[in-house]
């Protein structure tokens, strides 16, 4: 049997799967084989799910969450507390906090944290949009659920600094909990407890 070339559909599938974070080439090859040997059960449902997601899921123009509607389901939900804003690094954090039912307000996804070394400036993140939203919504509480890293702390400091002088309570989740990005791997009880035990900065 000839070696599959670059245009070979099997090879293309393996290549595409291998680019998914955490999968790697070996797992990608195994996944491709399973998909191809069980097309009805695995390959075709995956194709239609990928098409539906690619066609409809976009970042929410208000908070940055990913959803099939814009504004997203959270921003459009009239029962959410609109004056409490939880600031997170990534969409994964929103989903983790939602799974834990830890926050009944709105979110704001920064898309990263400030990093002078990596050239990440406030303008390259959704920080100007955050300040505009705080104003527009009349926010009274900002929860900074950002990573417990130097860059996360610098970002929290920036936000605190920019919101100084307004009657806004700025809090962060209980200390000792790895939060931001890593939220995803925590169990729901831990996330909920961390947010419930939030304290002023
Ligand atoms: Zn939204």
């Amino acid at each position: 049997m000839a070696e599959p070339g670059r245009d070979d559909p099997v090879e293309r599938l393996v290549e595409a799967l291998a680019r998914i974070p955490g999968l790697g080439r070996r797992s990608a090859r195994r996944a491709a084989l399973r998909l191809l040997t069980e097309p009805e059960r695995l390959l075709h449902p995956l194709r239609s799910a990928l098409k539906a997601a690619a066609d409809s899921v976009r970042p929410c123009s208000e908070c940055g969450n990913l959803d099939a509607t814009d504004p997203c389901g959270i921003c459009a939900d009239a029962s959410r507390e609109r004056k409490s804003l939880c600031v997170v690094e990534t969409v994964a954090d929103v989903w983790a906090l939602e799974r834990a039912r830890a926050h009944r307000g709105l979110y704001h996804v920064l898309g990263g944290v400030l990093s002078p070394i990596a050239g990440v400036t406030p303008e390259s993140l959704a920080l100007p949009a955050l300040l505009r939203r705080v104003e527009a919504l009349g926010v009274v509480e900002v929860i900074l659920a950002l990573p417990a890293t130097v860059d996360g702390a610098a970002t929290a400091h920036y936000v605190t600094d920019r919101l100084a002088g307004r009657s806004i309570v700025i809090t962060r989740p209980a200390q000792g909990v790895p939060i931001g990005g890593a939220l995803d791997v925590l169990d729901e009880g831990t996330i909920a407890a961390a947010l419930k035990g939030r304290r002023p900065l």
Side-chain angles (χ1 to χ4, degrees):
M1 206 176 96
E3 271 295 301
R6 203 173 274 276
D7 295 329
D8 181 90
V10 176
E11 200 56 28
R12 280 185 60 196
L13 178 60
V14 173
E15 287 286 340
L17 290 169
R19 268 183 241 131
I20 298 170
L23 211 50
R25 216 174 155 76
R26 193 188 175 89
S27 305
R29 191 165 291 283
R30 197 180 308 139
L33 185 62
R34 289 296 296 274
L35 287 165
L36 294 167
T37 43
E38 296 187 68
E40 293 303 327
R41 195 173 77 82
L42 300 174
L43 187 62
H44 297 166
L46 180 65
R47 175 175 61 181
S48 77
L50 286 172
K51 184 170 169 24
D55 288 349
S56 65
V57 177
R58 299 281 179 274
C60 172
S61 57
E62 291 182 23
C63 74
N65 184 27
L66 287 169
D67 206 344
T69 58
D70 185 13
C72 71
I74 297 169
C75 287
D77 182 350
S79 75
R80 311 261 331 189
E81 174 49 63
R82 310 192 79 77
K83 293 186 186 301
S84 173
L85 205 57
C86 183
V87 179
V88 295
E89 182 184 15
T90 69
V91 172
D93 299 325
V94 174
W95 293 2
L97 287 159
E98 281 300 287
R99 276 201 305 277
R101 300 178 179 279
H103 177 58
R104 289 304 302 158
L106 302 180
Y107 295 93
H108 194 83
V109 180
L110 291 180
V113 284
L114 291 174
S115 172
I117 293 167
V120 182
T121 63
E123 288 69 33
S124 58
L125 300 176
L127 278 167
L130 169 64
L131 302 174
R132 283 197 300 274
R133 264 184 103 205
V134 164
E135 196 75 50
L137 291 166
V139 167
V140 295
E141 183 188 25
V142 170
I143 304 161
L144 295 171
L146 294 169
T149 59
V150 172
D151 291 344
T155 311
H157 186 267
Y158 175 90
V159 174
T160 309
D161 206 43
R162 297 301 300 266
L163 296 179
R166 299 171 202 232
S167 42
I168 297 170
V169 180
I170 301 174
T171 59
R172 66 169 174 215
Q175 273 178 316
V177 177
I179 213 154
L183 260 182
D184 214 22
V185 300
L186 293 177
D187 69 275
E188 280 89 14
T190 307
I191 295 173
L195 223 69
K196 201 157 187 269
R198 65 186 182 271
R199 57 195 70 178
L201 272 181

